[in-house]
Amino acid sequence: MDHEATRRDALDRIAAAQDLEAVEALRVAFLGKQGSISALLKTLGGMSPEQRQSEGPKIHGLREAVTDALAARKAALESAALEARLAAETVDLTLPAAEAPRGSIHPVSQVMDELAEIFADLGFAVATGPEIEDDWHNFTALNMPESHPARAMHDTFYLPDRTDDGRELVLRTHTSPVQIRAMLSQGAPLRIIAPGRVYRSDSDSTHTPMFHQVEGLVIDKGIHLGHLKWTLETFLKAFFERDDIVLRLRPSYFPFTEPSVEVDTGYAWVDGRRVIGGSGDAPGHAWMELLGSGMVNRHVLAAGGLDPDEWQGFAFGVGVDRLAMLKYGMNDLRAFFDGDVRWLRHYGFSALDVPTLSAGVGTPA
Ligand code: PHE
């Protein structure tokens, strides 16, 4: 075989190599110690100078061409292997998870999210306060001085410690102390809701020692009971997702509001469930007490650092657990805090089911 034929044959075989082992086998066959091209190179030693001058460049050129072809084929096979591996190992991150999500949102959290969403739309911010509260914020500033009988009504949990300035410490008995904290820290005007845990020494099927309230507070100029009623109606229509919410306002008493208003809502029994809606005076309907509210007492405004001749406001407090029970049809409050995963699986909400006004706040999971 002349060099040109050897070269064509070698390059054809290299181009036909299907894997890296085949390339390596060809390298050994051509360029290894016993290789055919290595053997050709050895023949140069036995040649005359003239012969070597004409044969040398051809044989070296042949070796170079084969070396380059082997390297190119090797690189091509390697990159093809990488491509194939990348294609095979592709992960489609848009596919749904193979396993169903495990956790769920507790109905109390869900309802709190719904409340925040509804009230945000009305321009309310969310405020918070400590669960371990001092008796000034929990009682005194809310127009319940030490001797006030309403203090006894709250079945308060007292802590053994006191604050540095000698105030008694309690587990807050309601979210109303956040009214005081918000007024003192933000001043007026003010529009807040304050959802959170509250504590009273009380326990039966409708009372637990810890439960949840949401406080509402609006402070501005010229605020009156009409604003309160409109706000509550708008909130309850959005929350229960029905337009036929009918409220009945009854005179009541809270030390921190004057006048104080107990708010009832009409409901009917449907399939053994209370369903909110309609007038309580309509056939088959009745009234149910839902929340406490009223115009913020002058003493409370003053304790919050505001001039009661300049500012007025209304406030309300609702049980969040109770709202959840009414909306989602649970009947035993204690189950809320048992931590039973079967109950949660039944009543819990998907973590992805974020309440929004546009999608409907809190469609059952
Ligand atoms: N704090 C009252 C309670 O726990 C509820 C309430 C709040 C009443 C605000 C009037 C105004 O019962």
Side-chain angles (χ1 to χ4, degrees):
M1 240 197 282
D2 65 13
H3 295 329
E4 192 41 43
T6 306
R7 178 191 162 101
R8 250 185 280 118
D9 176 59
L11 295 188
D12 284 349
R13 287 169 67 188
I14 292 168
Q18 286 310 306
D19 52 39
L20 292 170
E21 290 87 74
V23 174
E24 175 60 11
L26 288 172
R27 189 192 64 77
V28 172
F30 297 133
L31 303 171
K33 262 193 189 149
Q34 318 287 329
S36 53
I37 296 173
S38 305
L40 277 177
L41 282 163
K42 277 180 206 152
T43 62
L44 289 174
M47 289 181 189
S48 65
E50 299 77 39
Q51 230 185 338
R52 196 182 301 138
Q53 212 163 35
S54 77
E55 286 300 296
K58 289 182 195 158
I59 295 175
H60 279 293
L62 177 61
R63 189 188 63 171
E64 216 166 286
V66 168
T67 304
D68 289 351
L70 285 167
R73 186 66 191 142
K74 192 178 174 205
L77 286 171
E78 276 171 352
S79 84
L82 180 62
E83 291 290 328
R85 199 175 140 199
L86 287 176
E89 290 179 3
T90 297
V91 175
D92 184 352
L93 296 176
T94 66
L95 287 174
E99 240 183 295
R102 277 162 191 273
S104 61
I105 303 293
H106 194 283
V108 169
S109 303
Q110 176 76 15
V111 165
M112 284 185 173
D113 288 348
E114 294 174 21
L115 295 172
E117 175 71 11
I118 292 168
F119 278 102
D121 195 49
L122 300 175
F124 286 64
V126 172
T128 56
E131 291 170 29
I132 296 176
E133 189 54 283
D134 61 68
D135 70 341
W136 185 82
H137 286 93
N138 195 80
F139 293 125
T140 314
L142 290 164
N143 200 33
M144 285 184 270
E146 232 150 276
S147 57
H148 202 287
R151 286 199 179 199
M153 280 162 45
H154 274 196
D155 301 310
T156 311
F157 286 112
Y158 283 88
L159 276 76
D161 309 318
R162 286 180 179 257
T163 62
D164 292 341
D165 43 3
R167 291 176 180 169
E168 282 207 273
L169 284 172
V170 301
L171 293 179
R172 67 178 179 189
T173 58
H174 51 177
T175 43
S176 298
V178 184
Q179 289 186 32
I180 304 297
R181 291 184 177 274
M183 283 187 262
L184 288 174
S185 67
Q186 297 172 49
L190 198 60
R191 252 187 265 184
I192 54 137
I193 58 165
R197 296 190 179 100
V198 301
Y199 301 82
R200 292 182 202 176
S201 175
D202 204 352
S203 195
D204 59 40
S205 71
T206 55
H207 297 86
T208 47
M210 186 281 294
F211 57 104
H212 300 83
Q213 287 188 333
V214 62
E215 194 82 6
L217 175 68
V218 169
I219 307 278
D220 212 320
K221 295 182 177 172
I223 295 293
H224 54 72
L225 274 177
H227 295 123
L228 169 63
K229 187 171 189 229
W230 181 89
T231 304
L232 292 176
E233 262 170 14
T234 304
F235 145 52
L236 292 168
K237 282 178 184 172
F239 180 75
F240 288 110
E241 295 179 277
R242 47 193 300 161
D243 280 327
D244 63 343
I245 302 290
V246 181
L247 299 183
R248 182 175 74 174
L249 274 53
R250 277 182 296 115
S252 183
Y253 174 76
F254 298 102
F256 30 92
T257 46
E258 182 58 37
S260 297
V261 181
E262 202 90 56
V263 177
D264 300 338
T265 174
Y267 74 94
W269 285 101
V270 179
D271 300 331
R273 259 184 72 170
R274 284 177 203 256
V275 174
I276 305 291
S279 163
D281 294 329
H285 286 63
W287 293 109
M288 177 175 55
E289 190 183 310
L290 194 61
L291 58 92
S293 64
M295 301 304 296
V296 180
N297 190 298
R298 292 175 62 87
H299 296 302
V300 174
L301 290 167
L306 302 177
D307 178 355
D309 291 326
E310 193 183 347
W311 300 100
Q312 298 76 47
F314 67 77
F316 59 88
V318 204
V320 173
D321 319 283
R322 199 166 139 71
L323 286 177
M325 291 169 82
L326 288 169
K327 182 166 178 179
Y328 296 114
M330 302 108 172
N331 46 32
D332 192 339
L333 177 65
R334 290 169 296 194
F336 275 63
F337 312 117
D338 282 345
D340 186 330
V341 288
R342 290 165 304 180
W343 186 88
L344 257 182
R345 235 171 254 143
H346 185 75
Y347 288 111
F349 293 84
S350 158
L352 302 175
D353 191 13
V354 177
T356 61
L357 282 180
S358 52
V361 279
T363 311

